[in-house]
Amino acid sequence: MAAAADAFLRARGRTLTAFRPDAEYQWKGPFYFIQGADPQFGLMKSWAHGDTENGDDEWGEEIKLTEQAVQAINKLNPKPKFFVLCGDLVHGMPGTRWKKKQEQDLKDVLKNTDQDIPLVFVSGNHDIGNTPTKEAIDDYCNNWGDDYFSFWVGGVFFLVLNSQLYCDSSKCPELRQAQDAWLDDQLAAAANQKCKHIIVFQHIPLFLSKPDEDNDYFNLDKSVRQEIMEKFHKAGITAVFSGHYHRNAGGSYKGLEMVVSSAIGCQLGQDPHGLRVVVVTEEKVVHRYYSLTELGSHGIDKELLDMLAKQK
């Protein structure tokens, strides 16, 4: 049981214990990872019934979909380096009736992920609240590991951020300040390491399609968006991967790619329930969104597999 619990708490001390930095600073050739988002146990029923605050008392559909996702990932060959879930793990907000049961049921599904594929968790607004408190973030960290951290894989530097602190940190301003200071330190350190790429994971997208688009529930407020985009651009960040929108979207800002992935769970647009396969080569980051059915039955297509086979 302890080993299963450890799988959910690998993000500790602002790093991911699944990877040893000294063994991962060097480029070793192309690799790939899997990005998922918004399993959000409980949303499908509450959305269908028009009661998103109290209608999340069933999540059987989400269990089946997440099981399908785990089965698809476990069949992949070669194996992905990791599986990152970009927030809204469950629908219940902090302190609501079904949250703990939703979280336990999600863990019961995710613990079946191949143990050689580390799980990486990103906090979403439903995980820590639209206006998070220190208590809500502490509870998340006790369940899923640190809310922000960094790690290296094969010469690539990854940053996991708590985007809710950029949305509304009014009840925990000191935590926003701490993440900002930590991020500046991390970007400064990365500049000295000559990494091939820097890739960011956060729940809420910087923007959905255009960097100057209007403020929306699904993007970051312009007042903080511009500052973060410019910081990321100056640091040479290659891409930001997010969820939250329950649809596929994205765009770019001065060479920084914003990738918005649809959900494992409830769809709010026309996309299938799915996962994104992300291939990292020396020159670029290439990705494709697959439906769960397609990935489970056919795996990764030849074009991406050929990219992985190069430079070996």
Side-chain angles (χ1 to χ4, degrees):
M1 197 66 189
D6 289 347
F8 303 111
L9 296 172
R10 286 196 169 120
R12 280 283 179 253
R14 302 297 175 203
T15 190
L16 194 71
T17 58
F19 300 104
R20 279 183 30 234
D22 57 340
E24 298 290 346
Y25 284 140
Q26 300 302 315
W27 176 254
K28 301 171 188 171
F31 64 88
Y32 81 103
F33 62 86
I34 300 292
Q35 182 217 7
D38 302 273
Q40 203 158 343
F41 280 24
L43 176 59
M44 291 178 80
K45 186 198 169 195
S46 60
W47 185 262
H49 287 240
D51 183 5
T52 54
E53 288 194 16
N54 302 299
D56 61 333
D57 58 343
E58 291 178 16
W59 48 91
E61 281 297 308
E62 288 94 337
I63 288 175
K64 288 177 188 172
L65 289 162
T66 310
E67 285 174 342
Q68 192 179 355
V70 167
Q71 289 161 6
I73 291 168
N74 286 348
K75 286 163 67 174
L76 294 172
N77 184 26
K79 293 177 183 179
K81 286 287 188 180
F82 58 87
F83 171 29
V84 58
L85 270 173
C86 281
D88 279 2
L89 306 176
V90 302
H91 184 66
M93 288 282 190
T96 56
R97 180 177 179 185
W98 301 108
K99 186 176 185 68
K100 290 299 178 191
K101 183 70 172 93
Q102 289 168 355
E103 288 183 326
Q104 188 54 56
D105 284 357
L106 177 59
K107 287 182 177 182
D108 286 344
V109 175
L110 292 176
K111 71 185 181 186
N112 295 313
T113 307
D114 185 319
Q115 61 183 10
D116 293 329
I117 304 171
L119 297 166
V120 180
F121 298 105
V122 181
S123 62
N125 56 304
H126 281 264
D127 303 311
I128 59 175
N130 288 325
T131 305
T133 62
K134 182 181 184 303
E135 292 73 25
I137 291 174
D138 284 348
D139 188 63
Y140 171 87
C141 294
N142 288 333
N143 271 292
W144 304 102
D146 287 349
D147 58 324
Y148 60 90
F149 55 95
S150 64
F151 60 101
W152 288 82
V153 176
V156 177
F157 190 48
F158 292 93
L159 290 158
V160 171
L161 299 179
N162 179 345
S163 55
Q164 212 54 37
L165 294 175
Y166 295 129
C167 292
D168 186 353
S169 61
S170 58
K171 290 185 178 176
C172 54
E174 73 286 355
L175 299 185
R176 160 79 186 269
Q177 291 162 9
Q179 177 172 258
D180 285 345
W182 172 87
L183 178 58
D184 288 343
D185 287 347
Q186 294 294 302
L187 294 176
N192 294 326
Q193 280 291 346
K194 297 182 178 175
C195 48
K196 291 295 179 187
H197 303 282
I198 306 173
I199 294 173
V200 172
F201 300 121
Q202 60 186 56
H203 178 61
I204 296 183
L206 298 170
F207 56 89
L208 299 175
S209 59
K210 296 178 181 175
D212 61 349
E213 69 196 19
D214 290 341
N215 295 340
D216 187 282
Y217 172 77
F218 291 107
N219 61 22
L220 283 186
D221 193 281
K222 274 184 170 181
S223 59
V224 292
R225 185 195 313 165
Q226 185 61 39
E227 178 188 342
I228 295 169
M229 289 192 306
E230 197 55 30
K231 178 183 287 193
F232 285 3
H233 163 67
K234 286 178 178 173
I237 289 172
T238 306
V240 177
F241 288 86
S242 295
H244 189 52
Y245 192 43
H246 295 255
R247 286 153 280 201
N248 287 312
S252 64
Y253 172 80
K254 296 183 179 180
L256 166 69
E257 187 177 11
M258 180 66 247
V259 184
V260 185
S261 293
S262 198
I264 293 171
C266 188
Q267 299 299 314
L268 302 184
Q270 302 304 311
D271 296 295
H273 306 280
L275 294 165
R276 191 172 295 276
V277 173
V278 186
V279 174
V280 183
T281 74
E282 201 162 3
E283 299 84 23
K284 57 190 177 180
V285 175
V286 181
H287 50 88
R288 186 183 156 198
Y289 185 85
Y290 290 81
S291 74
L292 298 180
T293 303
E294 182 185 12
L295 191 63
S297 57
H298 301 297
I300 302 170
D301 57 274
K302 186 176 183 301
E303 182 185 0
L304 295 184
L305 286 173
D306 287 348
M307 291 177 128
L308 291 171
K310 286 180 183 175
Q311 307 169 359
K312 286 282 171 84

